Amino acid sequence: MLTQLQIRDFAIVESVELDLEPGFTALTGETGAGKSILVDALLLAVGARADSGAVRHGAKRAEVAACFDVSGNPAASAWLEEQAIDHEGECILRRVVGSDGRSRAFVNGRPVPAQLLRELGSKLVDVHGQLEFQSLGRRAHQRSLLDEFGDLGDQARSVAESYKAWKRIRDERAALEQKAHDRDARLELLLHYIGELESLDAKTGEAESLEHERRRIGSLGKLAEGTGQVDRLLSDDNGVIAALARAQSILARLGDLDPDLQANNALIEEASIACSEAASNLRRYADGLEADPARQEWIEARLAALEAVARKHRVEIDELPAVLERLTAEQEQLANAATSLVKLDARLAAAAEEYEKLADALSQARRKAGLKLDRQVGTLMQELGMSGGLLETRVGTGDPVEFSESGNDRVEFLVSANPGQPLRPLAKVASGGELSRISLAMQVATKNTAHLPCLVFDEVDAGVGGAVAEMVGRQLRDLADFGQVLSVTHLPQVAAQANHQVRVSKHSERNVTRTALEPLDANARVDEIARMLGGARITRRTREHASEMLEAAHAGCRAPARPRRTTSAAGGEGSSRARSDRAR
């Protein structure tokens, strides 16, 4: 739900801040005070198109910040998590528009493109009465709304899963068919590569072993010289082995004097044996160091061949066995392509049959749900002042039928607001007031399905009055049991039904016009309803009438929560300023 709206230098608004509560909030005030400007500012905050005309005359930029509680909005929370934006249940959307028309957008302080802001905004707010930002005018939303109304979610998901299975097989077949198109040329190339790799017979680890042997053959002189030096150090008359023998002799004599020295004599004996073995090994190693030019030449040629084939296939030498395995599998697949295509055709036909069965069942269920929705919305349209108004939910398929994840249907809502008028697509309804009331009827008829947590109605009472206006107010209040509702209204019958009321007023001082917002308590609501009833001259009888309207509207209903205090002066004070700083 929307918890706070801050506006600075937008249109005729210098600086206002409004805290909002759950339930139904009515925005009232004199004509031209700026009630619809609040809706326009909210639209800007959630991604509507920006231009320099939004900036107040004489200001450098306009700023709008909207704070939402998303703890009960899984779609918005999931979007924020996908974008790696921390939220902790709160989301602040901020939009800045310069006098040059350029805009910047922020979500919880992070800059985002306007397109992403609009994407998030569509999960937070739905405005009825402004076609630019109306979800109900989009066919995809109409189809989704119909599925929710008819409790067709499980069927729709089955169709989507069936479509994905069919598409996987179709894509697999297309890929195999594309390969088969150049089958002969590809087979010839594969056979050449396979023959070359089989002749090469590369082994994993072979290149490393050959590299080691090449280094050894190339260093025969150094190896012979070094091992000879070590042998001499060990075996000469003055070498290590002779020295160890003399040490043993000395310790043997000393051991007769002190038996504790005999253990050291054993250690020296072990060292002497180890040195003798090392010297013997080195001599055998040196004897085997013979130059073999033919072997060296073969190693060089073998490594060159391995490297050349590896470069051709753009892999490391050790990966050549895997390349051979992969190419062999592809060759076998192409050789059996005809058989594989026949099998895939059979699987594809079965998957298409399954999809068509599920999609046809979903289409029938949608038509049945559409008839029920038409009846309910039609009845509500009569109650909302559109005598003879009709809704027709058209569920049709294209020609030819195209498979899709949502089924074969093209769902569209057609309406006629007045007797004798032809049915027209909902998105092309000309009157803002009619569109708002049709939208209200749709929302009320589908109130038990999923809704956006904040619904805004602009001009929902245009062209109606009396009992119809009271019915509009009641429907708005009932709808608020399922989500937050904001409505700009000129009619006391509508405003009286609201849980909360905010008065929008305009003041001029020294050639400067300012708009202010004032949440109304019980007594102030009586005064405002009386003004809406009687105009500039408010009598005692008018106030009594206003009080009766409020009492009748809320008889037996829970008392509305009192709106929090807001400010209209630039900058504000206290907690309002703290909240404004947080949003900025």
Side-chain angles (χ1 to χ4, degrees), residues 405-416:
E405 194 168 344
S406 56
N408 300 331
D409 304 318
R410 295 179 180 178
V411 177
E412 185 175 23
F413 293 153
L414 303 177
V415 295
S416 172

Side-chain angles (χ1 to χ4, degrees), residues 74-334:
S77 296
W79 187 95
L80 290 167
E81 289 166 6
E82 287 175 4
Q83 301 297 324
I85 298 177
D86 295 332
H87 59 87
E88 295 182 357
E90 183 179 63
C91 177
I92 300 175
L93 278 60
R94 179 169 166 257
R95 192 84 177 274
V96 180
V97 182
S99 56
D100 58 358
R102 296 182 180 180
S103 71
R104 291 176 294 160
F106 305 86
V107 176
N108 283 1
R110 178 185 295 185
V112 297
Q115 181 180 355
L116 283 183
L117 184 71
R118 187 179 181 90
E119 189 178 302
L120 174 59
S122 68
K123 304 178 188 303
L124 296 169
V125 174
D126 199 9
V127 176
H128 297 264
Q130 302 290 334
L131 280 176
E132 180 188 6
F133 210 80
Q134 163 116 315
S135 65
L136 198 55
R138 298 193 295 269
R139 286 193 179 185
H141 181 76
Q142 293 175 4
R143 183 185 62 243
S144 176
L145 191 64
L146 178 62
D147 287 348
E148 291 171 357
F149 174 79
D151 195 20
L152 307 178
D154 290 341
Q155 280 186 266
R157 280 187 289 274
S158 295
V159 168
E161 291 170 2
S162 179
Y163 168 79
K164 291 175 183 176
W166 170 83
K167 185 175 181 296
R168 281 194 299 270
I169 300 172
R170 184 199 64 179
D171 293 346
E172 185 181 349
R173 189 197 183 284
L176 182 59
E177 188 174 32
Q178 181 60 37
K179 288 181 180 179
H181 183 69
D182 302 320
R183 177 177 174 272
D184 293 339
R186 180 62 178 170
L187 270 175
E188 184 178 352
L189 182 61
L190 286 173
L191 289 172
H192 169 72
Y193 283 157
I194 291 169
E196 183 179 51
L197 287 166
E198 286 179 341
S199 297
L200 188 65
D201 194 21
K203 301 291 193 299
T204 303
E206 180 183 6
E208 183 180 359
S209 177
L210 290 175
E211 282 285 355
H212 173 73
E213 188 175 356
R214 180 168 65 176
R215 287 194 302 270
R216 178 177 177 276
I217 292 176
S219 305
L220 285 176
K222 291 182 180 179
L223 291 171
E225 181 183 354
T227 54
Q229 286 178 351
V230 175
D231 182 32
R232 288 191 293 274
L233 287 172
L234 292 173
S235 305
D236 281 357
D237 292 341
N238 294 321
V240 173
I241 295 174
L244 289 172
R246 289 194 294 272
Q248 279 184 283
S249 177
I250 293 170
L251 283 174
R253 292 195 300 271
L254 294 176
D256 294 336
L257 300 175
D258 187 352
D260 291 343
L261 292 174
Q262 291 177 358
N264 294 309
N265 199 10
L267 291 173
I268 293 175
E269 184 179 1
E270 291 176 2
S272 178
I273 293 170
C275 288
S276 296
E277 290 180 357
S280 178
N281 290 338
L282 289 172
R283 282 192 289 273
R284 284 195 298 271
Y285 178 83
D287 291 341
L289 291 175
E290 294 181 4
D292 187 350
R295 177 65 180 175
Q296 186 173 9
E297 184 178 347
W298 181 87
I299 290 172
E300 295 293 343
R302 177 65 175 172
L303 285 172
L306 291 170
E307 289 168 357
V309 176
R311 277 196 305 271
K312 180 185 294 186
H313 294 280
R314 298 180 181 179
V315 296
E316 298 294 331
I317 293 176
D318 279 351
E319 296 177 52
L320 288 176
V323 172
L324 175 59
E325 184 178 349
R326 175 172 54 82
L327 295 180
T328 301
E330 184 180 354
Q331 183 264 333
E332 291 175 355
Q333 185 183 41
L334 282 179

Side-chain angles (χ1 to χ4, degrees), residues 428-441:
K428 295 182 179 179
V429 174
S431 167
E434 287 179 350
L435 177 62
S436 290
R437 276 178 280 143
I438 293 169
S439 299
L440 174 58

